Amino acid sequence: MLLLANLFWGLSFPVIKSITLLHAQLLPDAGTWFSTAYTIAPRFLLAVIVLLAWQARSFWRITRAELKQGVILGLFAAAGMLFQVDGLQFTAASTSAFLTQFYAIMIPVYLALRSRRTPGALVWISCSLVLAGVAILGRFDWRELTFGRGEWETLLSSVFFMGQILWLDRSEFVGNRVEKFTLVMFLTEALVFLGLSAATAPSVDALVLPWTSPGWLGLTASLTVFCTLGAFLIMNRWQPKITATEAGLIYCVEPIFGSVMALFLPAMISAWTAINYPNESATSHLLIGGGLITLANVLIQLRPPAKPAAAASK
């Protein structure tokens, strides 16, 4: 199920890129901050509306624990997205992809320090394979790495994504209903990015004009249904069944799906929306990098870390 969530997130790469290109056509005077915020805000706003409709008679029946879990998850996710996107403006995409996945290493390190017990050689081998795979997949070049604003912000985003994974893993939230705390999570993110959109919008018309574009509406709808509702409901429902370390490694499969989607979707979207977004080409980097990430996940599944009894019953 988490691999399915990664498939949906992989779809988000070409879809979000297409939406930003549409923004450039529809709103040429808008800045990159507005384009970023207004790509993210509608997906969570529409997701909130869908979940409210789904729970029309009982959406307000949320426990204090569900409210707490949802708000913190939303803040972690929003902060991670914000720093990742801002950092991307000051560093290479390959560097961003590599540093973002650093939570695959930080999670077992954090858990080892907290429990004062190493997770074992297999976990460390899998983590190393994942990072090597992401580096090859994104054509990361160590010689060009210099730590400036972009690199530090991207690492900070990885810390927040780690916080999101660990917060979802907390045993105190056993029994929380997925549809309830996910609604709170989406609402938190929608409010954060709607506020950023309003603050960075060049005019009121900029908030309205995209909604008149059929291409923008179609892409935003797919982003909402698959990459938001589908992916996060699956994540919130199934991640607590396994350890945070195992989940962190599985989430690193996302760049593989994103790279595969970029081989054929851009041209299809371009033909539909009249943007110039060519397909990417299959290279040895995709095969080797994707192979290492896949191998890491196969190894960890051979002997997965034990789930604490209190959380395993969820």
Side-chain angles (χ1 to χ4, degrees):
M1 294 304 294
L2 292 184
L3 285 175
L4 179 59
N6 276 271
L7 174 64
F8 290 152
W9 282 322
L11 173 65
S12 72
F13 282 92
V15 171
I16 289 177
K17 177 69 173 180
S18 299
I19 292 176
T20 58
L21 291 173
L22 269 177
H23 280 165
Q25 284 186 2
L26 297 170
L27 305 164
D29 297 328
T32 56
W33 271 116
F34 173 75
S35 180
T36 298
Y38 214 52
T39 297
I40 299 173
R43 64 187 285 195
F44 289 107
L45 176 61
L46 292 174
V48 167
I49 294 172
V50 171
L51 287 183
L52 285 176
W54 179 24
Q55 309 169 57
R57 297 184 178 180
S58 62
F59 71 87
W60 51 274
R61 294 175 182 168
I62 298 176
T63 66
R64 182 174 297 180
E66 290 165 346
L67 183 64
K68 176 182 177 181
Q69 185 181 21
V71 168
I72 300 301
L73 281 174
L75 291 175
F76 271 132
M81 289 181 187
L82 181 63
F83 284 111
Q84 181 188 36
V85 172
D86 187 63
L88 189 56
Q89 299 179 67
F90 301 98
T91 189
S94 59
T95 302
S96 176
F98 176 71
L99 294 179
T100 297
Q101 306 298 332
F102 225 71
Y103 58 69
I105 286 289
M106 291 191 290
I107 289 174
V109 169
Y110 168 79
L111 293 176
L113 291 174
R114 190 179 70 177
S115 64
R116 298 182 181 179
R117 185 177 60 186
T118 178
L122 189 61
V123 169
W124 296 123
I125 291 172
S126 296
C127 290
S128 300
L129 287 172
V130 157
L131 287 184
V134 172
I136 294 171
L137 188 64
R139 304 186 185 188
F140 177 71
D141 189 348
W142 285 101
R143 294 170 297 181
E144 296 181 1
L145 179 61
T146 57
F147 273 87
R149 173 176 172 176
E151 289 75 19
W152 285 116
E153 283 191 332
T154 306
L155 275 179
L156 184 58
S157 78
S158 187
V159 173
F160 283 113
F161 290 138
M162 177 184 73
Q164 180 185 359
I165 294 170
L166 292 173
W167 191 256
L168 189 56
D169 193 56
R170 291 173 69 93
S171 60
E172 69 178 280
F173 299 124
V174 170
N176 280 1
R177 294 162 294 179
V178 174
E179 70 277 9
K180 299 298 182 183
F181 72 79
T182 302
L183 172 61
V184 177
M185 173 185 172
F186 287 169
L187 181 59
T188 301
E189 292 181 84
L191 292 175
V192 169
F193 287 105
L194 283 173
L196 287 173
S197 299
T200 56
S203 65
V204 176
D205 289 342
L207 298 170
V208 178
L209 184 59
W211 296 87
T212 65
S213 167
W216 187 91
L217 288 173
L219 291 171
T220 299
S222 64
L223 197 60
T224 300
V225 173
F226 298 106
C227 313
T228 307
L229 285 165
F232 283 106
L233 283 171
I234 290 173
M235 175 186 182
N236 291 346
R237 172 68 178 85
W238 291 99
Q239 187 202 297
K241 300 292 186 180
I242 62 177
T243 64
T245 295
E246 192 178 353
L249 291 170
I250 291 175
Y251 292 146
C252 290
V253 175
E254 177 187 347
I256 301 177
F257 288 124
S259 297
V260 171
M261 296 284 187
L263 298 179
F264 62 92
L265 275 183
M268 296 171 61
I269 295 174
S270 295
W272 174 43
T273 59
I275 59 176
N276 182 22
Y277 182 16
N279 289 335
E280 297 183 12
S281 301
T283 65
S284 59
H285 294 82
L286 174 59
L287 297 176
I288 298 173
L292 289 175
I293 295 171
T294 303
L295 176 61
N297 278 282
V298 170
L299 288 176
I300 203 68
Q301 291 303 319
L302 294 177
R303 193 182 300 171
K307 183 73 175 175
S313 61
K314 184 169 180 177

